[in-house]
Amino acid sequence: MAAASATSSSELPECPVCHDGYQEPKILPCTHLVCKKCVVSWLHKAGVKGGCPLCRAPILPPTSRGQRDLDTLVNDLPTDLATMALMDSHNTLSGQHVCMICEDNTAATSFCLQCDIKICKDCVKTHKKVPGTRKHVIEDLNKLSPQRLAEINRASCNVHDDRPAELYCSTHRELICMLCDSTYHRSCSEVKAITDVATEKRRELEQQAQRLRAIETALAAQIKEVKDMFPSMRRKAKDTFDDLEQWVDKRRQEVNTLIQAEEDATMTSLAELEKWRAALALNTASVGKLVQSASGGALLGMVNSLTSRLNDLESQTGTTRKVEVTDLTFNLQKLDQLKVDIASLGQITKPTSTPTTLQQPTQPAPVTSTATTATTRRTADKPRRAELAKVLRVGDRVKPGPDWDCPRRDLTGTVTAIPSRRAVTTYGLDPTGRVDVEWNGECECHHYMGYNGLYDLDLL
């Protein structure tokens, strides 16, 4: 028995703060489980702005901080009743196994699921003979685990602890027994079997979870799309400038080819001109030597032929022996404009209107009970109400506004959904705006825009 109990204990969850079994575990907004006393102690040390001990996510909504004492605020956090049932089952099965019917501390070997007690072998036989208990389910203590007991354990009536709860009153949101149904809840119209209500609520929760999964999937796709924007922008910039560089390189090669062709043609002409220059140099040098060394008679004998040769050379040089000089030009005005155009490439433009935010996909309205809200006719204090419309968020705590047309003025509620897209106008949100508010855990209703696009709500 001890070994079985130890095995069951090792499988039980424990609080990440006190490292002990959960005592009234609270579900934090980040979904981590922490004992209520540990949450209160943690917030006393870290302050109301303190985050989850595990992930540092906010525990209390900003609008609720400082409005009430910590015990009340933490008590408003949802309690994990399934884990509490598991811990209660563990406490029931742990400890000394003594028959709870016999008075002589006889060792218990079995557990009656209907009576919720440990019994010995002899009492098991008696249990199966008595008409009122013969149909009870009895299981072996060595095989019964806290998980199994928590699954099949029946809840108790909120008023009569000794009676099992068989019905649920939707009007008062209470688990009740058959006696309560015939007395305190006799006039209540919404009393159903627990199994029927649980099936309905389970279906509603599954539908809501399915809607949230669709929203999460859409948000994940939008986040990926936004993240992929920047690699796409880099690829686009690279492709653009690569194309520009290729175009410039291609034009550079074309210009160099033109220069090379012109250079080759010019060099050919220059080679011919160089030959002609050399011929001129030889003839002028030869004439110079003759002028210096020949006698007068010899010079006069050659002068006609030499003059004729020099005249031919001079005439040919002045008419046919020329090289055209070419140049490479750039249109500087177009070049300056090209620099301006290149400088304007790849500009990151900012939107002139309100930046686009991640939008939740269109979804059906949550399954809630309907309630008619009063038409708001607020005409004064517009700036304050406009600020309310701008800052209103899911999870905000609210109360009825000045024009609340309902006899109950003591209601407080929580904004549970803002399903429609809203545009901020002069005095608040556009007339299509809507918020869902759950009032004191009693009912949930839709609030639509009233006069001048205002909600008849006030922040707590």
Side-chain angles (χ1 to χ4, degrees):
M1 268 189 248
S5 178
T7 303
S8 300
S9 299
S10 64
E11 298 175 355
L12 291 174
E14 62 179 27
C15 175
V17 177
C18 63
H19 300 290
D20 200 354
Y22 280 109
Q23 297 182 16
E24 195 173 352
K26 289 294 181 179
I27 306 174
L28 305 186
C30 57
T31 71
H32 285 129
L33 287 182
V34 180
C35 292
K36 176 184 175 182
K37 61 180 180 61
C38 294
V39 177
V40 174
S41 175
W42 177 265
L43 290 178
H44 272 301
K45 294 178 181 178
V48 292
K49 294 183 179 180
C52 169
L54 301 180
C55 66
R56 297 299 187 267
I59 296 177
L60 301 178
T63 54
S64 66
R65 297 169 184 169
Q67 300 296 323
R68 293 174 292 170
D69 62 281
L70 282 179
D71 288 340
T72 303
L73 291 173
V74 174
N75 192 58
D76 287 343
L77 295 173
T79 303
D80 188 345
L81 298 179
T83 300
M84 281 192 64
L86 179 62
M87 300 307 300
D88 291 342
S89 298
H90 168 70
N91 294 333
T92 300
L93 296 177
S94 62
Q96 189 176 6
H97 291 341
V98 177
C99 180
M100 301 174 69
I101 297 179
C102 299
E103 298 180 355
D104 54 356
N105 293 331
T106 305
T109 59
S110 305
F111 190 90
C112 177
L113 300 182
Q114 278 70 32
C115 298
D116 196 27
I117 58 173
K118 303 173 184 177
I119 54 179
C120 62
K121 294 180 180 180
D122 294 335
C123 290
V124 169
K125 297 178 182 178
T126 304
H127 226 63
K128 291 182 178 181
K129 293 180 180 179
V130 176
T133 60
R134 65 175 55 174
K135 294 183 179 180
H136 287 191
V137 178
I138 298 175
E139 295 202 3
D140 190 338
L141 270 176
N142 291 325
K143 299 179 180 179
L144 184 61
S145 66
Q147 290 80 3
R148 161 71 176 160
L149 182 58
E151 290 174 359
I152 60 178
N153 199 12
R154 302 175 66 183
S156 300
C157 174
N158 286 358
V159 177
H160 307 99
D161 294 339
D162 58 337
R163 289 178 173 269
E166 301 179 55
L167 303 172
Y168 181 79
C169 176
S170 298
T171 304
H172 297 91
R173 294 192 174 186
E174 289 182 347
L175 296 172
I176 61 175
C177 62
M178 300 300 293
L179 178 61
C180 287
D181 180 42
S182 61
T183 54
Y184 305 119
H185 297 267
R186 183 172 53 188
S187 60
C188 296
S189 58
E190 293 292 328
V191 176
K192 298 180 181 179
I194 290 179
T195 54
D196 295 340
V197 178
T199 300
E200 179 183 348
K201 295 301 179 183
R202 184 175 286 109
R203 182 175 63 253
E204 292 177 3
L205 289 174
E206 289 174 350
Q207 291 174 354
Q208 188 172 18
Q210 185 176 1
R211 292 195 300 272
L212 291 176
R213 282 192 293 270
I215 293 174
E216 186 274 332
T217 301
L219 289 177
Q222 292 178 3
I223 291 171
K224 183 179 183 300
E225 181 181 357
V226 172
K227 287 183 177 180
D228 290 345
M229 284 172 52
F230 297 100
S232 176
M233 289 167 63
R234 290 188 178 90
R235 288 193 299 270
K236 185 177 181 180
K238 182 179 183 301
D239 293 342
T240 300
F241 286 108
D242 285 349
D243 290 343
L244 186 59
E245 289 177 1
Q246 291 175 6
W247 181 87
V248 171
D249 289 341
K250 179 182 178 182
R251 185 56 186 163
R252 181 188 291 115
Q253 293 175 5
E254 292 175 351
V255 171
N256 287 333
T257 300
L258 291 174
I259 294 174
Q260 186 63 47
E262 189 65 24
E263 182 181 12
D264 293 343
T266 301
M267 290 299 105
T268 301
S269 299
L270 287 179
E272 295 295 328
L273 191 60
E274 178 62 26
K275 292 179 181 180
W276 185 248
R277 185 202 62 78
L280 290 176
L282 290 174
N283 280 278
T284 55
S286 175
V287 171
K289 288 176 65 176
L290 291 174
V291 170
Q292 294 294 330
S293 62
S295 62
L299 180 63
L300 292 176
M302 296 183 294
V303 69
N304 291 331
S305 58
L306 290 175
T307 300
S308 176
R309 180 182 291 181
L310 293 176
N311 286 337
D312 289 340
L313 291 172
E314 188 174 1
S315 63
Q316 292 179 29
T317 302
T319 56
T320 60
R321 304 297 178 175
K322 293 182 179 180
V323 177
E324 293 184 358
V325 179
T326 59
D327 192 13
L328 180 66
T329 60
F330 287 94
N331 190 323
L332 297 181
Q333 185 176 359
K334 290 186 177 180
L335 183 60
D336 291 339
Q337 182 60 42
L338 182 60
K339 292 179 181 178
V340 174
D341 293 340
I342 292 176
S344 66
L345 293 176
Q347 297 292 330
I348 296 181
T349 57
K350 297 292 183 180
T352 56
S353 59
T354 304
T356 302
T357 56
L358 295 177
Q359 296 295 329
Q360 294 184 356
T362 303
Q363 61 186 66
V367 180
T368 58
S369 58
T370 58
T372 304
T373 60
T375 303
T376 56
R377 304 298 297 173
R378 180 68 171 169
T379 59
D381 203 9
K382 293 176 182 176
R384 177 188 62 77
R385 294 169 66 76
E387 287 302 313
L388 168 64
K390 292 178 182 178
V391 303
L392 203 59
R393 298 290 185 270
V394 173
D396 285 351
R397 297 285 294 170
V398 294
K399 63 181 180 180
D403 296 320
W404 185 263
D405 191 18
C406 178
R408 292 197 59 181
R409 305 287 303 179
D410 60 334
L411 291 174
T412 59
T414 303
V415 176
T416 58
I418 307 179
S420 61
R421 182 173 180 174
R422 307 169 313 285
V424 177
T425 62
T426 304
Y427 297 114
L429 308 180
D430 67 6
T432 62
R434 184 188 103 202
V435 294
D436 297 346
V437 179
E438 183 177 2
W439 296 103
N440 288 355
E442 298 178 3
C443 64
E444 187 168 304
C445 60
H446 307 316
H447 276 262
Y448 294 90
M449 286 299 175
Y451 185 74
N452 278 337
L454 300 177
Y455 290 120
D456 191 26
L457 298 170
D458 276 334
L459 288 171
L460 286 176

